[in-house]
Amino acid sequence: MKRMLTAVVATAALLLSGCGSEEPPSAAPSSGSAAYPVTAGGVTLAQRPERIVSLGPSATEMLFAIGAGPQVVAVDDQSTYPADAPKTDLSGFKPNAEAIAAKNPDLVVATDDLNKIVDQLGKLKIPVLLVPAAKVLDDTYREIDELGRLTGHQTEATALTDRMRTQIDKIVKGVPARPSKLTYYYELDPALYTATSKTFIGSVLGLFSLENVADPSDADGSKGGYPQLSPEALIKANPDLIFLADTKCCQQSPATVKARKGWSAVTAVQKDQIVSLDDDIASRWGPRVVDLVQSVADAVSKVPA
């Protein structure tokens, strides 16, 4: 839970390419025609950045997906994708201005203003673009566009977002209509922290008209969209589907869920409708959200109407 809540709740939302691919989508050749100065996301650059530091996995995935990877000189310790991203010990959770400045960046991309890093780097004349956790897919598209304009890859960024929209729309439309809504529980960790429909994850699963059993637990939003359920409440809610976004961090699986006391009464357990997700894909709002959408579509399609 610490991993998820720190990365997601601490950034005021949840801590996502081609569909189903293991490598980032190949970007079209750089347009190389961007005119500077350029302003995007409140940041103005006089010239194309050639030394970018990324302090967030989603930002890193966006940069590489639009073809700005060669300009990235360092990424934070949580950026695990793509494999050739220059991972360092820089922390996105506790950003250190001195350590970041040592990379001599001409642009820093961060997912939150922790430790007032924007002001700290601003005093060193280092521009910072914030790309906070997305609340809906449109936020992801906007952030990709901003990164495209600032890095000189607007053409590639536009192509990426167009591709994502097309893929997601095709995936969603490919799922057969159902006479009634399925209910689901989305697990962030074994302590039963979850995400409601008001979060980015909730908006993604909402594409399939699923009903989130966690919504009543944070009806007023006071828990930021990430309530903790009791085992009793979860069992009583009796979801049709269980999505596990804690398979890597916490070694959860359909087998571990089935072994939980009292969970044999849950429909998702009885009907083997427990879905193992890739933690990283499930917790990021970048271009690989298409993969998450596909995973959800596959799971929903398998449930008999």
Side-chain angles (χ1 to χ4, degrees):
M1 190 61 216
K2 180 179 179 181
R3 170 190 63 86
M4 180 60 70
L5 286 184
T6 303
V8 181
V9 176
T11 56
L14 183 66
L15 196 138
L16 298 174
S17 188
C19 178
S21 63
E22 289 300 321
E23 295 299 327
S26 57
S30 173
S31 60
S33 58
Y36 287 85
V38 166
T39 298
V43 175
T44 298
L45 298 181
Q47 56 190 15
R48 190 179 104 143
E50 301 298 340
R51 293 187 62 81
I52 301 172
V53 169
S54 175
L55 298 177
S58 294
T60 298
E61 294 192 16
M62 291 178 187
L63 285 164
F64 277 79
I66 63 174
Q71 297 156 253
V72 178
V73 296
V75 303
D76 71 297
D77 57 1
Q78 300 298 309
S79 290
T80 56
Y81 187 90
D84 59 345
K87 187 176 179 180
T88 70
D89 60 358
L90 291 176
S91 173
F93 299 144
K94 297 180 180 179
N96 180 292
E98 184 177 348
I100 296 169
K103 304 297 182 183
N104 193 28
D106 47 16
L107 175 65
V108 172
V109 182
T111 54
D112 207 337
D113 190 18
L114 299 172
N115 289 345
K116 297 183 178 180
I117 194 64
V118 176
D119 284 344
Q120 290 194 60
L121 292 177
K123 293 176 181 177
L124 300 175
K125 308 301 183 186
I126 300 173
V128 182
L129 174 68
L130 289 177
V131 288
K135 294 183 178 178
V136 293
L137 278 169
D138 280 348
D139 291 341
T140 292
Y141 300 142
R142 174 181 49 77
E143 291 179 359
I144 291 173
D145 176 70
E146 290 173 354
L147 284 171
R149 282 186 282 156
L150 285 179
T151 63
H153 294 274
Q154 183 165 10
T155 300
E156 296 91 326
T158 300
L160 174 60
T161 56
D162 287 349
R163 185 167 62 249
M164 291 174 65
R165 286 187 174 94
T166 299
Q167 290 177 326
I168 290 173
D169 186 58
K170 181 179 180 180
I171 292 169
V172 173
K173 288 181 177 177
V175 176
R178 311 184 66 84
S180 59
K181 289 184 177 181
L182 293 171
T183 60
Y184 77 93
Y185 160 62
Y186 191 93
E187 181 165 295
L188 299 178
D189 84 348
L192 306 189
Y193 278 96
T194 186
T196 71
S197 297
K198 294 180 181 178
T199 65
F200 179 78
I201 287 298
S203 74
V204 171
L205 272 71
L207 295 172
F208 298 94
S209 298
L210 302 176
E211 184 176 332
N212 192 331
V213 300
D215 286 351
S217 299
D218 191 28
D220 61 2
S222 62
K223 299 174 183 175
Y226 300 95
Q228 181 181 24
L229 304 183
S230 68
E232 295 77 12
L234 191 285
I235 293 170
K236 183 178 181 180
N238 191 28
D240 296 305
L241 286 158
I242 294 175
F243 293 95
L244 299 177
D246 53 359
T247 59
K248 289 183 177 178
C249 71
C250 314
Q251 294 76 52
Q252 294 305 293
S253 67
T256 63
V257 171
K258 290 178 182 178
R260 296 175 185 173
K261 185 178 180 180
W263 285 54
S264 60
V266 177
T267 296
V269 174
Q270 294 177 343
K271 297 185 176 182
D272 286 324
Q273 290 164 181
I274 306 172
V275 185
S276 297
L277 300 173
D278 181 304
D279 294 22
D280 292 339
I281 293 175
S283 63
R284 299 174 186 177
W285 60 94
R288 288 196 294 168
V289 68
V290 178
D291 294 7
L292 176 63
V293 172
Q294 184 66 62
S295 294
V296 176
D298 292 343
V300 174
S301 296
K302 290 178 181 177
V303 179

